[in-house]
Structures are given as C-alpha cells and as structure tokens.
Amino acid sequence: PFDCTTWFAHVFWLGDLNYRVLGPREQVLERVRERQLDELLASDQLRAEQAAGHVLAGFKEAPILFAPTYRYNRGDRSFSDEKLRNPS
C-alpha cells in the first residue's frame, strides 16, 4: 500500500474531499450562522471516517476555528437553495 507518511517530515493534503456535516440542512445552516463549531464538528463525516480508521489514519489536524463552507448565491452571501445532486 502507498504510505507517504514515512517519506517526508510534513505532508499537506489540499482539496475538497467532499465530506459533509450530517443533519437536517436548516439545522446545520443555523449552527453555521451561530458559529456552533463543536456541534458541527461532532457531526462531521470526515472526522467519523478518521476515527474509524478509514481515511487519513494517523493524521492529526490543527484545531478548526472556522465554520464549514456552503454554496452561496452569486452576488451576495446568502446560502443557495440548490439541492445536492448526490446527497449520499
């Protein structure tokens, strides 16, 4: 298996891994608006997969001090109502 963790002193993962925060859309968006980061992180799919050892096993992440991003409408900072094509 490919294991780059022993080849380098630092490894940076960049990109949209396309994980989601689980929960009803309006509840998640309200938590984003209220900056309830602990509640959002508790429902984060990526964190759950890491804890299960399925992805990025052994990697330590810096504290998250920002809300997750969502699609905005063009021209303003309101959240888009566009439905996900593949919500699973």
Side-chain angles (χ1 to χ4, degrees), residues 23 34 71:
E34 298 292 324
R71 184 181 304 247

Side-chain angles (χ1 to χ4, degrees), residues 2 13 15 18 24 28 33 35-36 39-40 45-46 50-51 53 64 69-71 80 83-84 87-88:
F2 181 75
W13 293 101
N18 210 26
V28 170
R33 287 184 200 97
R35 300 199 47 81
Q36 297 174 348
E39 291 85 354
L40 291 165
Q45 288 178 336
L46 178 57
Q50 280 181 291
I64 299 196
T69 57
Y70 282 84
R71 184 181 304 247
S80 171
K83 300 295 182 205
L84 296 174
S88 59

